[in-house]
Amino acid sequence: MKILLKIKSNQEVECYEAMALAMTLATFDNEVQIWLDSACFGILLNPNSRLAGMIKSLDLYDLPKAWLNDDVFSGWLTGMLDMTIAKQLTSVPETINLKNFDEVLTF
């Protein structure tokens, strides 16, 4: 299955649970794309947060770079992040066809 997992929460526990689900789904050969809303950015600023640690390990699960909303994905804001986290993020594509995903999950 191809799954889009949107994380809109500013609560670390909710972000952690969503990321844990994404990684579990990826383990079972699902294609998972993570989309982080601007509400998550404050959590990402703490390099010791669980969300930041999980973003750092996307490669281990063969997950693509996480999308980060354009309102926070700019040079100076991503420059505030730890480089290992910033390297795992990319801007949300200009056009997204949700029909390309079998499921869209929002947290």
XYZ file of all heavy atoms in Angstrom:
845
model
N 0.825 -1.183 0.000
C 0.000 0.000 0.000
C 0.871 1.249 0.000
O 1.961 1.255 0.552
C -0.882 0.041 1.250
C -2.069 -0.867 1.225
S -3.079 -0.709 2.724
C -3.815 0.871 2.472
N 0.358 2.284 -0.570
C 1.023 3.578 -0.573
C 0.255 4.485 0.396
O -0.938 4.731 0.200
C 1.051 4.170 -1.975
C 1.953 5.352 -2.095
C 2.191 5.721 -3.537
C 3.158 6.891 -3.573
N 3.488 7.284 -4.917
N 0.944 4.957 1.437
C 0.279 5.658 2.532
C 0.905 7.037 2.740
O 2.134 7.162 2.802
C 0.387 4.843 3.836
C -0.246 3.467 3.632
C -0.233 5.585 5.005
C 0.088 2.465 4.699
N 0.060 8.044 2.860
C 0.494 9.389 3.233
C 0.120 9.577 4.688
O -1.044 9.439 5.070
C -0.190 10.446 2.372
C 0.100 11.903 2.732
C 1.584 12.223 2.591
C -0.733 12.840 1.869
N 1.108 9.865 5.518
C 0.881 10.041 6.940
C 1.164 11.497 7.301
O 2.310 11.931 7.251
C 1.798 9.094 7.723
C 1.413 8.862 9.163
C 1.630 7.407 9.505
C 2.179 9.754 10.074
N 0.101 12.251 7.581
C 0.215 13.671 7.899
C 0.246 13.855 9.413
O -0.661 13.399 10.109
C -0.961 14.449 7.309
C -1.002 14.433 5.799
C -2.248 15.086 5.264
C -2.139 16.576 5.330
N -3.262 17.261 4.642
N 1.276 14.533 9.896
C 1.397 14.790 11.331
C 1.182 16.283 11.556
O 2.003 17.100 11.131
C 2.760 14.328 11.876
C 2.992 12.847 11.548
C 2.844 14.574 13.372
C 4.364 12.327 11.924
N 0.077 16.617 12.211
C -0.285 18.015 12.448
C -0.205 18.392 13.928
O -0.537 19.498 14.297
C -1.707 18.282 11.959
C -1.877 18.154 10.471
C -3.287 18.499 10.086
C -3.404 18.650 8.586
N -4.675 19.238 8.194
N 0.219 17.484 14.756
C 0.208 17.710 16.199
C 1.438 18.477 16.664
O 2.518 18.355 16.095
C 0.145 16.366 16.925
O 0.202 16.562 18.317
N 1.285 19.225 17.735
C 2.431 19.880 18.364
C 2.790 19.188 19.672
O 3.545 19.707 20.475
C 2.153 21.374 18.598
C 1.007 21.608 19.564
O 0.344 20.678 20.011
N 0.756 22.854 19.883
N 2.238 17.993 19.864
C 2.509 17.200 21.060
C 3.515 16.096 20.730
O 3.296 15.320 19.803
C 1.213 16.565 21.591
C 0.135 17.578 21.936
C 0.559 18.489 23.063
O 1.051 18.034 24.092
N 0.383 19.785 22.856
N 4.585 16.039 21.502
C 5.645 15.077 21.200
C 5.149 13.635 21.212
O 5.513 12.839 20.348
C 6.821 15.223 22.158
C 7.955 14.307 21.764
C 9.155 14.363 22.676
O 9.076 14.956 23.754
O 10.182 13.782 22.285
N 4.294 13.288 22.146
C 3.818 11.904 22.236
C 3.010 11.530 20.998
O 3.184 10.444 20.443
C 2.992 11.684 23.529
C 2.343 10.317 23.540
C 3.871 11.861 24.755
N 2.144 12.423 20.533
C 1.360 12.134 19.329
C 2.258 12.007 18.104
O 2.042 11.128 17.259
C 0.318 13.220 19.100
C -0.822 13.181 20.094
C -1.815 14.290 19.848
O -2.420 14.286 18.760
O -1.976 15.142 20.733
N 3.251 12.880 17.997
C 4.202 12.797 16.876
C 4.974 11.486 16.928
O 5.177 10.833 15.904
C 5.165 13.980 16.904
S 4.388 15.568 16.575
N 5.393 11.106 18.127
C 6.115 9.852 18.311
C 5.256 8.663 17.886
O 5.718 7.765 17.170
C 6.539 9.713 19.776
C 6.982 8.320 20.153
C 8.197 7.823 19.723
C 6.166 7.496 20.931
C 8.604 6.538 20.057
C 6.556 6.221 21.266
C 7.770 5.744 20.832
O 8.163 4.486 21.153
N 4.001 8.649 18.305
C 3.116 7.535 17.949
C 2.875 7.471 16.444
O 2.855 6.390 15.856
C 1.792 7.659 18.700
C 1.940 7.390 20.181
C 0.675 7.666 20.975
O -0.283 8.238 20.418
O 0.660 7.304 22.157
N 2.721 8.624 15.809
C 2.532 8.653 14.355
C 3.784 8.144 13.640
O 3.690 7.366 12.684
C 2.196 10.065 13.897
N 4.948 8.574 14.094
C 6.199 8.111 13.480
C 6.404 6.613 13.709
O 6.887 5.909 12.819
C 7.394 8.897 14.039
C 7.476 10.317 13.553
S 7.734 10.463 11.773
C 9.333 9.694 11.591
N 6.044 6.142 14.894
C 6.159 4.704 15.171
C 5.265 3.910 14.218
O 5.677 2.863 13.706
C 5.800 4.417 16.629
N 4.066 4.415 13.963
C 3.175 3.759 13.010
C 3.783 3.779 11.611
O 3.767 2.764 10.900
C 1.807 4.438 13.003
C 0.812 3.888 11.978
C 0.523 2.413 12.225
C -0.465 4.712 11.999
N 4.333 4.917 11.202
C 4.952 5.027 9.877
C 6.075 4.002 9.713
O 6.168 3.329 8.684
C 5.493 6.434 9.654
N 6.897 3.869 10.728
C 8.026 2.943 10.650
C 7.553 1.491 10.676
O 8.116 0.644 9.997
C 9.022 3.247 11.748
C 9.705 4.572 11.505
S 10.825 5.017 12.832
C 11.668 6.404 12.063
N 6.512 1.226 11.427
C 5.945 -0.129 11.460
C 5.366 -0.489 10.092
O 5.602 -1.584 9.578
C 4.860 -0.243 12.551
O 5.445 0.062 13.814
C 4.272 -1.632 12.585
N 4.614 0.441 9.515
C 4.046 0.199 8.192
C 5.136 -0.013 7.144
O 5.011 -0.875 6.271
C 3.140 1.363 7.786
C 1.838 1.493 8.571
C 1.177 2.842 8.287
C 0.899 0.342 8.259
N 6.208 0.764 7.236
C 7.320 0.620 6.288
C 8.002 -0.737 6.450
O 8.448 -1.326 5.463
C 8.324 1.748 6.485
N 8.054 -1.230 7.666
C 8.666 -2.539 7.924
C 7.928 -3.644 7.185
O 8.522 -4.631 6.766
C 8.676 -2.825 9.440
O 9.424 -1.794 10.090
C 9.304 -4.159 9.754
N 6.631 -3.455 6.983
C 5.815 -4.454 6.292
C 5.625 -4.104 4.825
O 4.578 -4.374 4.229
C 4.472 -4.631 7.006
C 4.607 -5.293 8.343
C 4.614 -4.537 9.509
C 4.760 -6.667 8.436
C 4.759 -5.141 10.750
C 4.913 -7.277 9.666
C 4.908 -6.512 10.828
N 6.645 -3.498 4.229
C 6.722 -3.220 2.791
C 5.655 -2.278 2.258
O 5.275 -2.367 1.090
C 6.723 -4.517 1.978
C 7.988 -5.328 2.202
O 9.038 -4.703 2.428
O 7.916 -6.569 2.167
N 5.165 -1.389 3.081
C 4.275 -0.336 2.608
C 5.123 0.866 2.225
O 6.179 1.107 2.808
C 3.285 0.073 3.702
C 2.306 -1.030 4.020
O 1.451 -1.349 3.223
N 2.452 -1.634 5.189
N 4.680 1.599 1.225
C 5.352 2.847 0.855
C 4.718 3.955 1.686
O 3.530 4.231 1.548
C 5.149 3.153 -0.629
C 5.839 2.198 -1.556
C 5.592 2.576 -3.004
O 5.692 3.768 -3.354
O 5.246 1.660 -3.771
N 5.517 4.572 2.539
C 4.996 5.581 3.452
C 5.677 6.915 3.183
O 6.907 6.994 3.127
C 5.220 5.170 4.929
C 4.664 6.222 5.877
C 4.595 3.802 5.206
N 4.864 7.942 3.021
C 5.373 9.308 2.898
C 4.895 10.082 4.117
O 3.697 10.123 4.398
C 4.870 9.993 1.626
C 5.300 11.431 1.481
C 6.825 11.570 1.414
O 7.464 10.995 0.536
N 7.388 12.315 2.342
N 5.824 10.678 4.838
C 5.504 11.452 6.037
C 5.425 12.929 5.669
O 6.298 13.447 4.973
C 6.566 11.223 7.131
C 6.585 9.743 7.509
C 6.306 12.118 8.336
C 7.808 9.321 8.276
N 4.381 13.588 6.146
C 4.167 15.013 5.902
C 4.050 15.694 7.259
O 3.109 15.452 8.009
C 2.893 15.205 5.097
C 2.523 16.602 4.725
C 3.034 17.766 5.232
C 1.547 16.981 3.768
N 2.432 18.840 4.637
C 1.511 18.386 3.731
C 0.694 16.275 2.935
C 0.662 19.089 2.900
C -0.149 16.980 2.116
C -0.168 18.368 2.086
N 5.037 16.528 7.593
C 5.040 17.235 8.869
C 4.463 18.630 8.706
O 4.904 19.403 7.863
C 6.471 17.343 9.415
C 7.205 16.027 9.651
C 8.659 16.297 10.035
C 6.515 15.217 10.724
N 3.503 18.951 9.545
C 2.907 20.277 9.559
C 3.828 21.217 10.350
O 4.701 20.768 11.097
C 1.532 20.182 10.227
C 0.741 21.441 10.104
O 0.310 21.784 8.987
O 0.538 22.088 11.145
N 3.598 22.495 10.193
C 4.422 23.477 10.891
C 4.330 23.334 12.408
O 5.249 23.725 13.127
C 4.057 24.895 10.462
O 2.674 25.105 10.607
N 3.259 22.736 12.924
C 3.116 22.540 14.367
C 4.213 21.644 14.938
O 4.564 21.747 16.114
C 1.741 21.949 14.679
N 4.778 20.780 14.117
C 5.827 19.847 14.557
C 7.199 20.497 14.668
O 8.106 19.939 15.263
C 5.940 18.680 13.582
S 4.445 17.752 13.336
N 7.359 21.667 14.067
C 8.696 22.253 13.957
C 9.323 22.521 15.313
O 10.519 22.294 15.504
C 8.659 23.540 13.120
C 10.016 24.035 12.752
C 10.749 23.399 11.770
C 10.575 25.124 13.401
C 12.018 23.830 11.427
C 11.844 25.568 13.059
C 12.562 24.922 12.073
N 8.538 22.964 16.276
C 9.079 23.216 17.612
C 9.675 21.967 18.236
O 10.687 22.036 18.941
N 9.068 20.828 17.970
C 9.591 19.563 18.502
C 10.886 19.191 17.794
O 11.834 18.706 18.407
C 8.535 18.445 18.370
C 7.272 18.824 19.144
C 9.077 17.118 18.862
C 6.080 17.950 18.852
N 10.939 19.441 16.483
C 12.151 19.127 15.712
C 13.348 19.963 16.156
O 14.489 19.550 15.985
C 11.911 19.345 14.219
C 11.044 18.330 13.505
C 10.820 18.757 12.072
C 11.653 16.944 13.567
N 13.084 21.153 16.702
C 14.184 22.008 17.157
C 14.967 21.384 18.299
O 16.128 21.718 18.504
C 13.660 23.384 17.577
C 13.245 24.302 16.442
C 12.581 25.562 16.987
C 14.426 24.660 15.564
N 14.329 20.478 19.029
C 15.023 19.774 20.107
C 15.627 18.496 19.523
O 14.911 17.529 19.285
C 14.055 19.440 21.235
C 14.700 18.640 22.348
O 15.884 18.304 22.282
N 13.934 18.330 23.365
N 16.944 18.474 19.290
C 17.553 17.305 18.660
C 17.462 16.036 19.510
O 17.712 14.942 19.017
C 19.013 17.721 18.436
C 19.244 18.822 19.401
C 17.929 19.496 19.622
N 17.077 16.177 20.780
C 16.943 15.015 21.658
C 15.507 14.517 21.757
O 15.237 13.565 22.481
C 17.465 15.345 23.060
C 18.938 15.673 23.027
O 19.718 15.010 22.360
N 19.331 16.720 23.732
N 14.581 15.157 21.018
C 13.193 14.696 21.051
C 13.068 13.373 20.297
O 13.878 13.050 19.419
C 12.262 15.742 20.435
O 12.467 15.834 19.041
N 12.039 12.628 20.638
C 11.821 11.346 19.953
C 11.525 11.560 18.472
O 11.971 10.789 17.628
C 10.690 10.575 20.625
C 11.089 10.079 22.013
C 9.970 9.351 22.665
N 9.033 10.333 23.213
C 8.031 10.033 24.016
N 7.811 8.788 24.355
N 7.224 10.963 24.471
N 10.779 12.617 18.157
C 10.478 12.909 16.753
C 11.759 13.167 15.970
O 11.961 12.617 14.883
C 9.530 14.110 16.636
C 9.194 14.559 15.221
C 8.479 13.455 14.441
C 8.346 15.827 15.245
N 12.636 13.982 16.515
C 13.903 14.276 15.837
C 14.721 13.001 15.644
O 15.288 12.769 14.571
C 14.699 15.311 16.629
N 14.774 12.174 16.660
C 15.519 10.920 16.555
C 14.958 9.999 15.491
O 15.699 9.350 14.753
N 13.648 9.968 15.378
C 13.024 9.109 14.378
C 13.207 9.676 12.973
O 13.408 8.915 12.026
C 11.555 8.902 14.709
C 11.369 8.115 16.003
S 9.669 8.045 16.523
C 9.329 6.320 16.213
N 13.159 10.985 12.836
C 13.411 11.605 11.525
C 14.840 11.290 11.083
O 15.079 11.008 9.910
C 13.160 13.131 11.579
C 11.674 13.426 11.751
C 13.726 13.831 10.354
C 10.801 13.033 10.573
N 15.771 11.304 12.013
C 17.168 10.989 11.682
C 17.308 9.575 11.122
O 18.240 9.297 10.366
C 18.061 11.107 12.923
C 18.276 12.499 13.408
C 19.136 12.471 14.669
C 19.182 13.790 15.373
N 19.939 13.727 16.638
N 16.407 8.680 11.495
C 16.556 7.271 11.106
C 15.659 6.853 9.938
O 15.448 5.664 9.730
C 16.305 6.373 12.316
O 14.981 6.505 12.773
N 15.148 7.797 9.164
C 14.295 7.433 8.028
C 15.005 6.494 7.054
O 14.381 5.595 6.496
C 13.825 8.696 7.287
C 12.853 9.605 8.027
C 12.503 10.824 7.167
C 11.599 8.857 8.428
N 16.286 6.708 6.850
C 17.040 5.852 5.923
C 17.033 4.386 6.349
O 17.026 3.493 5.505
C 18.489 6.326 5.800
C 18.610 7.632 5.054
O 17.680 7.977 4.289
O 19.638 8.314 5.230
N 17.033 4.137 7.641
C 17.041 2.756 8.132
C 15.785 1.994 7.732
O 15.783 0.772 7.637
C 17.184 2.734 9.656
C 18.489 3.292 10.223
C 18.416 3.348 11.742
C 19.669 2.463 9.764
N 14.707 2.718 7.498
C 13.435 2.114 7.127
C 13.118 2.307 5.647
O 12.009 2.049 5.211
C 12.300 2.704 7.984
C 12.414 2.294 9.425
C 13.192 3.017 10.325
C 11.764 1.158 9.896
C 13.309 2.627 11.646
C 11.870 0.763 11.211
C 12.655 1.505 12.084
O 12.761 1.114 13.389
N 14.105 2.750 4.890
C 13.938 3.023 3.456
C 12.775 3.985 3.193
O 12.045 3.840 2.207
C 13.733 1.731 2.658
C 14.974 0.852 2.673
O 16.085 1.416 2.668
O 14.830 -0.373 2.708
N 12.612 4.942 4.082
C 11.578 5.957 3.924
C 12.166 7.180 3.226
O 13.316 7.550 3.475
C 11.007 6.376 5.283
C 10.144 5.328 5.979
C 9.884 5.716 7.426
C 8.824 5.183 5.237
N 11.383 7.802 2.357
C 11.878 9.014 1.688
C 11.956 10.179 2.674
O 11.424 10.101 3.789
C 10.818 9.278 0.613
C 9.572 8.664 1.164
C 10.025 7.457 1.956
N 12.582 11.256 2.241
C 12.636 12.456 3.070
C 11.223 12.865 3.452
O 10.295 12.774 2.640
C 13.296 13.611 2.320
C 14.768 13.413 2.099
C 15.348 14.625 1.394
C 16.846 14.447 1.231
N 17.479 15.662 0.727
N 11.063 13.309 4.674
C 9.755 13.771 5.132
C 9.465 15.138 4.531
O 10.362 15.962 4.382
C 9.732 13.849 6.659
N 8.205 15.343 4.185
C 7.793 16.647 3.686
C 7.565 17.566 4.876
O 6.993 17.168 5.884
C 6.493 16.541 2.909
C 6.560 15.743 1.647
C 7.680 15.380 0.957
C 5.453 15.219 0.914
N 7.331 14.667 -0.159
C 5.967 14.553 -0.208
C 4.089 15.247 1.105
C 5.164 13.919 -1.133
C 3.270 14.620 0.181
C 3.805 13.956 -0.934
N 8.000 18.804 4.749
C 7.782 19.810 5.778
C 7.051 20.969 5.130
O 7.460 21.430 4.058
C 9.118 20.270 6.376
C 9.074 21.265 7.523
C 8.337 20.688 8.729
C 10.484 21.672 7.933
N 5.977 21.425 5.749
C 5.179 22.515 5.183
C 6.055 23.689 4.762
O 7.027 24.028 5.428
C 4.142 23.001 6.186
C 2.848 22.245 6.082
O 2.747 21.245 5.381
N 1.848 22.715 6.778
N 5.681 24.305 3.655
C 6.458 25.407 3.086
C 6.620 26.591 4.019
O 7.603 27.306 3.929
C 5.815 25.886 1.780
C 5.979 24.880 0.664
O 6.902 24.053 0.742
O 5.175 24.916 -0.283
N 5.653 26.810 4.916
C 5.763 27.963 5.796
C 6.926 27.848 6.773
O 7.362 28.845 7.330
C 4.454 28.238 6.541
C 3.934 27.042 7.315
O 4.360 25.908 7.042
O 3.085 27.261 8.202
N 7.460 26.651 6.980
C 8.649 26.497 7.831
C 9.856 25.977 7.060
O 10.966 26.020 7.552
C 8.395 25.581 9.045
C 7.481 26.243 10.031
C 7.895 24.228 8.636
N 9.619 25.477 5.846
C 10.748 24.958 5.077
C 11.374 26.093 4.280
O 11.083 26.326 3.123
C 10.331 23.830 4.127
C 11.515 23.095 3.569
C 12.120 22.114 4.310
C 12.037 23.400 2.322
C 13.223 21.442 3.824
C 13.138 22.737 1.823
C 13.732 21.754 2.580
N 12.216 26.810 4.944
C 12.975 27.875 4.297
C 14.401 27.783 4.821
O 14.654 27.129 5.823
C 12.364 29.245 4.583
O 12.457 29.538 5.956
N 15.291 28.433 4.158
C 16.706 28.333 4.509
C 17.024 28.659 5.950
O 17.729 27.918 6.619
N 16.470 29.755 6.443
C 16.866 30.142 7.794
C 16.208 29.279 8.860
O 16.798 29.013 9.898
C 16.621 31.620 8.042
C 15.185 32.040 8.180
C 14.327 32.369 7.181
C 14.455 32.163 9.399
N 13.095 32.691 7.701
C 13.141 32.586 9.063
C 14.770 31.976 10.729
C 12.170 32.806 10.003
C 13.784 32.197 11.680
C 12.508 32.612 11.316
N 15.007 28.787 8.603
C 14.367 27.938 9.602
C 14.991 26.550 9.644
O 15.263 26.024 10.711
C 12.868 27.835 9.342
C 12.059 29.037 9.789
C 10.604 28.874 9.396
C 12.162 29.257 11.277
N 15.203 25.946 8.484
C 15.833 24.623 8.496
C 17.287 24.738 8.934
O 17.853 23.777 9.425
C 15.726 23.923 7.131
O 16.236 24.784 6.123
C 14.293 23.543 6.828
N 17.877 25.934 8.779
C 19.234 26.154 9.276
C 19.312 26.107 10.787
O 20.389 25.926 11.350
N 18.187 26.248 11.450
C 18.140 26.175 12.912
C 18.160 24.729 13.399
O 18.419 24.477 14.569
C 16.883 26.869 13.430
C 16.851 28.361 13.163
S 15.261 29.132 13.554
C 15.046 28.722 15.273
N 17.893 23.797 12.494
C 17.826 22.381 12.864
C 19.209 21.738 12.841
O 20.089 22.146 12.096
C 16.922 21.621 11.888
C 15.445 21.950 11.903
C 14.751 21.249 10.747
C 14.821 21.547 13.228
N 19.350 20.687 13.602
C 20.527 19.833 13.536
C 20.647 19.346 12.087
O 19.648 18.981 11.467
C 20.313 18.657 14.499
C 21.468 17.697 14.523
O 21.542 16.856 13.610
O 22.276 17.790 15.456
N 21.836 19.328 11.534
C 22.029 18.974 10.122
C 21.546 17.567 9.784
O 21.044 17.326 8.694
C 23.506 19.112 9.720
C 23.930 20.554 9.502
S 22.906 21.423 8.290
C 23.280 20.532 6.807
N 21.669 16.625 10.712
C 21.205 15.263 10.422
C 19.686 15.213 10.304
O 19.146 14.365 9.600
C 21.682 14.252 11.485
O 21.277 14.701 12.775
C 23.192 14.090 11.446
N 19.002 16.135 10.965
C 17.544 16.224 10.842
C 17.189 16.952 9.550
O 16.350 16.492 8.775
C 16.936 16.952 12.062
C 17.212 16.175 13.348
C 15.437 17.164 11.873
C 16.909 16.940 14.612
N 17.834 18.091 9.310
C 17.532 18.903 8.123
C 17.728 18.112 6.830
O 16.978 18.301 5.871
C 18.395 20.161 8.120
N 18.709 17.217 6.802
C 18.969 16.420 5.599
C 17.838 15.442 5.288
O 17.749 14.942 4.173
C 20.280 15.647 5.746
C 21.506 16.522 5.663
C 22.758 15.690 5.816
C 23.990 16.577 5.798
N 25.221 15.792 5.977
N 17.000 15.150 6.269
C 15.906 14.193 6.085
C 14.583 14.873 5.742
O 13.551 14.221 5.677
C 15.728 13.355 7.352
C 16.899 12.468 7.665
C 17.077 11.372 6.623
O 16.189 11.057 5.852
N 18.252 10.789 6.591
N 14.631 16.194 5.520
C 13.416 16.955 5.233
C 13.469 17.581 3.852
O 14.540 17.932 3.365
C 13.240 18.071 6.271
C 13.166 17.641 7.732
C 13.203 18.854 8.640
C 11.912 16.815 7.981
N 12.317 17.729 3.251
C 12.197 18.422 1.981
C 10.874 19.180 1.982
O 9.981 18.879 2.780
C 12.287 17.439 0.790
O 12.387 18.172 -0.414
C 11.096 16.497 0.742
N 10.762 20.130 1.105
C 9.534 20.916 1.003
C 8.407 20.069 0.421
O 8.649 19.166 -0.385
C 9.803 22.129 0.109
O 8.672 22.931 0.018
N 7.199 20.373 0.814
C 6.027 19.680 0.263
C 5.949 19.999 -1.232
O 6.094 21.160 -1.620
C 4.738 20.142 0.978
C 3.516 19.504 0.361
C 4.815 19.837 2.462
N 5.746 18.995 -2.078
C 5.624 19.258 -3.517
C 4.491 20.241 -3.814
O 3.497 20.286 -3.080
C 5.312 17.884 -4.107
C 5.747 16.905 -3.085
C 5.617 17.583 -1.760
N 4.665 21.003 -4.882
C 3.648 21.997 -5.244
C 2.311 21.359 -5.577
O 1.261 21.894 -5.256
C 4.131 22.843 -6.422
C 5.204 23.822 -6.033
C 5.586 24.734 -7.181
O 4.722 24.997 -8.057
O 6.731 25.173 -7.193
N 2.349 20.232 -6.246
C 1.108 19.525 -6.572
C 1.166 18.126 -5.979
O 2.154 17.414 -6.152
C 0.881 19.428 -8.094
O 1.994 18.768 -8.680
C 0.710 20.797 -8.710
N 0.119 17.783 -5.282
C 0.013 16.455 -4.680
C -1.316 15.861 -5.118
O -2.367 16.450 -4.895
C 0.046 16.522 -3.140
C 1.337 17.169 -2.659
C -0.100 15.129 -2.548
C 1.319 17.521 -1.194
N -1.243 14.716 -5.731
C -2.454 14.008 -6.125
C -2.730 12.950 -5.060
O -2.077 11.907 -5.024
C -2.285 13.375 -7.499
C -3.573 12.776 -8.005
O -4.568 12.690 -7.291
N -3.555 12.353 -9.259
N -3.684 13.249 -4.192
C -3.992 12.322 -3.105
C -4.516 10.982 -3.618
O -4.485 9.990 -2.900
C -4.986 12.951 -2.136
C -4.467 14.168 -1.362
C -5.548 14.712 -0.447
C -3.216 13.830 -0.584
N -4.955 10.946 -4.863
C -5.432 9.693 -5.447
C -4.285 8.699 -5.659
O -4.519 7.516 -5.860
C -6.149 9.957 -6.770
C -7.454 10.691 -6.581
C -8.135 10.946 -7.905
C -9.415 11.742 -7.697
N -10.091 12.029 -8.956
N -3.043 9.210 -5.612
C -1.884 8.323 -5.742
C -1.640 7.520 -4.481
O -0.820 6.605 -4.477
C -0.630 9.127 -6.070
C -0.674 9.696 -7.475
O -1.374 9.202 -8.338
N 0.082 10.764 -7.693
N -2.317 7.873 -3.387
C -2.154 7.175 -2.114
C -3.374 6.302 -1.843
O -4.506 6.710 -2.077
C -1.974 8.195 -0.977
C -0.715 8.988 -1.080
C -0.713 10.233 -1.694
C 0.489 8.495 -0.603
C 0.446 10.983 -1.806
C 1.658 9.227 -0.715
C 1.639 10.466 -1.317
N -3.110 5.109 -1.339
C -4.210 4.222 -0.971
C -4.894 4.690 0.310
O -6.085 4.497 0.498
C -3.688 2.789 -0.781
C -3.090 2.228 -2.048
O -3.741 2.325 -3.105
O -1.948 1.718 -1.990
N -4.106 5.277 1.194
C -4.625 5.763 2.483
C -3.965 7.084 2.828
O -2.776 7.280 2.555
C -4.330 4.777 3.614
C -5.081 3.481 3.561
C -6.551 3.629 3.878
O -6.932 4.554 4.621
O -7.338 2.820 3.360
N -4.710 7.976 3.465
C -4.179 9.214 4.011
C -4.556 9.224 5.488
O -5.752 9.238 5.823
C -4.740 10.466 3.299
C -4.207 11.731 3.958
C -4.403 10.435 1.819
N -3.564 9.164 6.347
C -3.783 9.147 7.790
C -3.326 10.464 8.377
O -2.242 10.946 8.047
C -3.001 7.999 8.433
C -3.245 6.601 7.855
C -2.282 5.588 8.465
C -4.679 6.174 8.077
N -4.116 11.066 9.239
C -3.792 12.349 9.837
C -3.763 12.233 11.349
O -4.682 11.677 11.959
C -4.818 13.421 9.408
O -4.872 13.458 7.983
C -4.430 14.789 9.926
N -2.704 12.772 11.938
C -2.561 12.767 13.401
C -2.467 14.190 13.902
O -1.864 15.025 13.342
C -1.297 12.007 13.808
C -1.395 10.539 13.552
C -1.103 10.020 12.301
C -1.807 9.692 14.542
C -1.214 8.657 12.057
C -1.926 8.327 14.310
C -1.612 7.813 13.056
